[in-house]
Amino acid sequence: MSMFCNQCEQTAKGTGCTTIGVCGKQPEVSALQDLTIYALRGLSLVALAAREKGIIDAKIDEYTAKALFTTLTNVNFDPARFDVYVREIVAHRKALAARAGVDFSEGPAAFEPASTLDGLVAQAEIGSVTAGAEDADIRSLKQILLYGMKGVAAYVDHAAILGQTDAAVFGFLHKGLAAGYDGVARDLGAWIELAMECGRANLRAMELLDAGNTTTYGHPVPTQVPLGHRKGKCILVSGHDLKDLFELLKQTEGKGIDIYTHGEMLPTHAYPELKKFPHFYGHFGTAWQNQHKEFPAFPGAILFTTNCIQKPQASYAANVFTTGLVGWPGLVHCENHDFTPVINKALELPGFTDDVPGKTVTVGFGRNTVMSVAPAVIDAVKSGAIRHFFLVGGCDGAKPGRNYYTEFVEKTPADTVVLTLACGKFRFFDKDLGTIGGIPRLLDVGQCNDAYSAIKIASALAEAFNCGVNDLPLSLVLSWYEQKAVAILLTLLAIGIKDIRLGPSLPAFVTPNVLKFLVDNFNIKPISTADEDLKAILG
């Protein structure tokens, strides 16, 4: 069967995956993800109608975000799980419609799932992003909105797990999912406004997640993290979820098992409540796309907590476990934060047989840390010791062209500071750029959602200098791969940030006319070469 998916940066031929996903997604899973979104559109239509009658169901709101999150790149590859989601979505829709006394006779709110998995796959064409014959630019904006909402859903889900929710953000997700099926005629301007609304909703979602992380585990503090290892049994934790990590740390206390982070879990070493565990030791490996090269060398169990999973290779597949929304056919899935299978596997495996200290990297430069030295930073700018700030961050990936970010950071002058976040930093995270007046030139702000911290830092600096953020000596040089990066980009645009450089390639779902709008209104531009971009920025 055929498929079409162009939601990630590595999509085949820069246009779309049509036989199998570059990520490893099979056509069957792609179809089921499309159908999941279509079913969610129906649930959202009913949820909006229920809201008009004063009925807001928090459980359905949170379920909507979870189900949408499962369709994000590198999260769930298990067709059996999507079979369950589609049927649960329809059941929730029918129950809410009965409560609210609403009825839809056609469209996604009247969708009836087939009785078999094969039948669901056959139905999926109704939810394809290529369905319909609308204007190409409107289709482009619909995709930008959908992919942005997937990013919002990820952050909203993480925040809800930590008890932080906002009905308004869920209300937007329902509004965005219903758009195109709600009977409202929208021109290009209206779809652009919806995309900007998505950006504003994502800012709130990141704020909620920040509150959940910091009130539960404390504000990050500068922390040195070993990149080597020490003798002993071990578990490697990948993904993004702090609660999963915390629960694993509790369950492994006193068992002689060291916990290592992978990928975007690196910044978790800076949280005070996680740092308290003496067996929370170090970091192993780099970004998500290198796991096939790196995981065969890890002598313990491996746990995936959110997205970033790739097809496990035979050499280590038996050691890989999933939890939460992550799914891969045949892997053991841990429910309700019970990591007993992971622990047992770690005790069974040999673990590291020697001590290899290796390098260290420093993490923990969130907004609280940076703003605690704000007077020194401001004085350094005024004196000329700091000429410019660069925010170089975003997603990493395997597609050629990403060495640009390594070269760019290496070539930044000694009187500039580089802030970084998300897994794009693994192109240069272990570089020693030195210091300026005791302030490290390379500051790790955190995970991708910590773009919220970066925005707060920029806003505080703008206030200190009595200017707008766009007037600061600050340049954003971003890399994208998946849909959380789309959501963050929409947030930056929605709050008026201009002159962003984006790479390594522009999204396949952005048409020339939509790109022209972004260039004309925000001066967004593709990266060129490190030398050319540094010259253009610094003069």
Side-chain angles (χ1 to χ4, degrees), residues 184-202:
V184 177
R186 292 179 175 88
D187 59 11
L188 283 172
W191 283 105
I192 288 169
E193 175 50 34
L194 261 183
M196 294 300 102
E197 192 174 345
C198 181
R200 294 188 290 271
N202 187 59

Side-chain angles (χ1 to χ4, degrees), residues 131-439:
E134 70 258 351
D135 176 86
D137 296 326
I138 288 181
R139 179 182 295 163
S140 173
L141 289 163
K142 283 184 174 181
Q143 288 183 266
I144 291 171
L145 173 64
L146 174 60
Y147 302 153
M149 287 192 298
K150 291 188 181 191
V152 175
Y155 296 141
V156 164
D157 179 61
H158 286 311
I161 288 170
L162 296 173
Q164 297 287 332
T165 61
D166 184 339
V169 179
F170 292 115
F172 167 74
L173 286 178
H174 290 309
K175 177 181 177 180
L177 284 166
Y181 297 88
D182 54 4
V184 177
R186 292 179 175 88
D187 59 11
L188 283 172
W191 283 105
I192 288 169
E193 175 50 34
L194 261 183
M196 294 300 102
E197 192 174 345
C198 181
R200 294 188 290 271
N202 187 59
L203 180 62
R204 177 60 176 148
M206 291 191 296
E207 180 183 29
L208 290 168
L209 180 51
D210 178 88
N213 286 340
T214 57
T215 58
T216 308
Y217 306 110
H219 281 276
V221 296
T223 302
Q224 286 194 325
V225 183
L227 298 182
H229 59 257
R230 65 187 180 190
K231 184 177 180 179
K233 305 289 186 178
C234 50
I235 295 174
L236 184 64
V237 184
S238 191
H240 302 77
D241 197 276
L242 271 63
K243 185 173 177 63
D244 286 331
L245 173 60
F246 179 71
E247 294 298 329
L248 179 65
L249 287 167
K250 286 198 302 182
Q251 292 173 40
T252 49
E253 279 188 289
K255 295 185 182 295
I257 301 173
D258 285 327
I259 305 300
Y260 294 78
T261 54
H262 171 262
E264 285 226 60
M265 294 300 278
L266 169 62
T268 61
H269 287 273
Y271 286 88
E273 291 303 309
L274 300 177
K275 285 163 55 71
K276 289 180 179 179
F277 293 91
H279 61 299
F280 188 28
Y281 179 66
H283 186 79
F284 179 92
T286 52
W288 66 271
Q289 78 278 2
N290 298 321
Q291 58 194 262
H292 286 166
K293 301 175 185 176
E294 296 169 348
F295 285 5
F298 188 78
I302 301 168
L303 175 65
F304 277 93
T305 67
T306 54
N307 58 314
C308 298
I309 193 171
Q310 289 183 297
K311 180 181 180 180
Q313 292 183 333
S315 61
Y316 63 84
N319 305 336
V320 179
F321 300 80
T322 61
T323 192
L325 301 181
V326 187
W328 192 279
L331 297 186
V332 174
H333 188 76
C334 299
E335 298 281 4
N336 302 316
H337 295 110
D338 180 1
F339 298 120
T340 302
V342 187
I343 294 167
N344 289 340
K345 176 60 71 171
L347 292 172
E348 171 191 321
L349 292 167
F352 289 109
T353 57
D354 57 358
D355 294 328
V356 178
K359 283 178 148 184
T360 63
V361 295
T362 303
V363 298
F365 293 100
R367 68 181 188 284
N368 270 28
T369 297
V370 174
M371 296 321 299
S372 70
V373 295
V377 172
I378 293 165
D379 288 344
V381 173
K382 289 180 176 178
S383 71
I386 295 178
R387 177 171 35 146
H388 205 85
F389 297 91
F390 297 99
L391 175 60
V392 185
C395 309
D396 203 2
K399 193 173 181 179
R402 291 181 182 270
N403 286 339
Y404 162 92
Y405 297 95
T406 310
E407 185 181 354
F408 187 96
V409 169
E410 288 177 337
K411 290 184 174 181
T412 54
D415 58 356
T416 62
V417 172
V418 177
L419 293 88
T420 188
L421 49 79
C423 64
K425 66 170 154 273
F426 288 108
R427 293 283 167 170
F428 49 81
F429 79 123
D430 57 351
K431 304 291 182 185
D432 183 2
L433 301 186
T435 61
I436 300 176
I439 301 168

Side-chain angles (χ1 to χ4, degrees), residues 54-65:
I55 300 173
I56 297 178
D57 189 317
K59 289 184 178 179
I60 284 180
D61 284 351
E62 291 178 26
Y63 182 87
T64 298

